[in-house]
Amino acid sequence: MTESLEVPPERRAEWRERFSIAEVHEASESHREHNEDRVLRIPEIGAFAIFDGAGGHIGGEQAADLAMEYVAKRLGEEFDSTPMSSSEIGSFLEALLFDAHQELLKKNADDAKKAETDPRYAGAGESMTTATIVIIKGNEAITAAIGDSPAYIYHENGILERITLDDGIFRNYRTEKEAREWEIQKALSNIVNPAELAGPLAAIYQTRNQVAKSLGISEKLRERNRLPEMRARIYINTLEDGDRVYIFSDGVTDPIEDPAIAEILQKDPDNEKALDALVKEAEKRNREGHPRKKKDDKSGVGFTYHALPEQLEKKPAPQEEKSAIKGGGAEAILTQLEKFKNMIEEEGGKELQRVGIGEYFDLTFQVKEEIESGKIGAKELPRLQAIVRVNKEITDILKTKLGTHFLLEPQYRDSIKSLGESMALIHRRIDELKKET
């Protein structure tokens, strides 16, 4: 089932031509009569999503339906009416999925109450679904993900990049660093025969289908199992002309290791044929008893990103990309930090979630990169000192308006750690420059 907002035929053709969109649906070999996955396509605003329902036949389908319809309605009503930066889109999607989660909780509560007197609702009240949404803005893909429906970018050079991290039970609670979680996921996604895994990796593979986050998961279950807060992971990736973007339910990707997925995509640049080939390969492996076999619903949506002519014309040459405004990189970053500080001083409460906190972290990381590349010399000392001052002012404002707890929230944890490392390097460089002068 697909949801797509109505647009004029001439505009549909424009977007179809630009994105070369395709999708695939195949019910599990275990229950051909129904498919609990849902695909959302709203190409006129560059939005694509997969919802993989869980909780039994009726429950899983209803959860995926409700989440898809709610997300489609909100995107149609709100998203295209307000200009947003990529970071703001990420914050919007994070809030949108949290709201969809709340809608599912209400439905589950209502169904559980009905089950007390109506046998038709027996077992109801535990419907859940994963959700992975990709929105295209300019040449960037902004992705919000909850659960284990993966998103990929297949680059023209043949490299397959998995851009989402599964919310797996074991990975979320046995590792402390996201970088380590990526390493584990890569190992599990690349292995042809899971029997070759040993130790913790073998145990993790056995629990790979147990997710720590899903829309509709009850607070009681979350607290009992010490699961994390219901917040989507947000990813922002830059696209090159010709990149192919895919979102799958795990019924497609679990039976096939990532290198084999890359081979299939490489063989056929036609998205419809490539998606069909992936589903056929997954079913073949399930039928033949491949070590990675997993019988499940299989759905996917894919498109090829084609940059608009004006985007290609305006693409700067490599030397221009590295240039900064007068005064060098540090001055350019300082200017942006000052603008960010002025902006958040005027915003309050929940509105701060939409002003691009991620951009603030990125600016500080850029200073670290400038230092590591040897571009920060003695003349930049005053600017580095100013950057330290403005960073402290920004942090104080965020603590005051969002509360100190925001520093501990899962989606900021790794960024806060990296921010501390960046600031430590900046302080060291300041000390070095003081000695030089």
Side-chain angles (χ1 to χ4, degrees), residues 118-119 145 156 169 228 244 278 288 312 319 322 324 333 348 369 375 408:
D118 190 337
E156 281 203 303
I169 289 283
R244 296 152 66 185
L278 284 169
E288 296 177 352
L312 293 173
Q319 62 269 24
K322 295 181 180 180
I333 294 167
E369 292 173 356
K375 295 179 181 178
L408 303 175

Side-chain angles (χ1 to χ4, degrees), residues 293-331:
K293 67 181 183 297
K294 178 194 174 186
K295 293 183 178 181
D296 197 357
D297 298 326
K298 291 168 277 294
S299 299
V301 60
F303 59 91
T304 302
Y305 171 75
H306 297 297
L308 295 172
E310 57 266 29
Q311 290 176 313
L312 293 173
E313 291 168 5
K314 293 180 180 180
K315 186 176 179 179
Q319 62 269 24
E320 293 173 332
E321 290 177 354
K322 295 181 180 180
S323 64
I325 64 173
K326 185 178 178 182
E331 182 172 334

Side-chain angles (χ1 to χ4, degrees), residues 81 258 281 293 317 353:
S81 61
D258 280 0
E281 177 63 19
K293 67 181 183 297
Q353 303 294 340

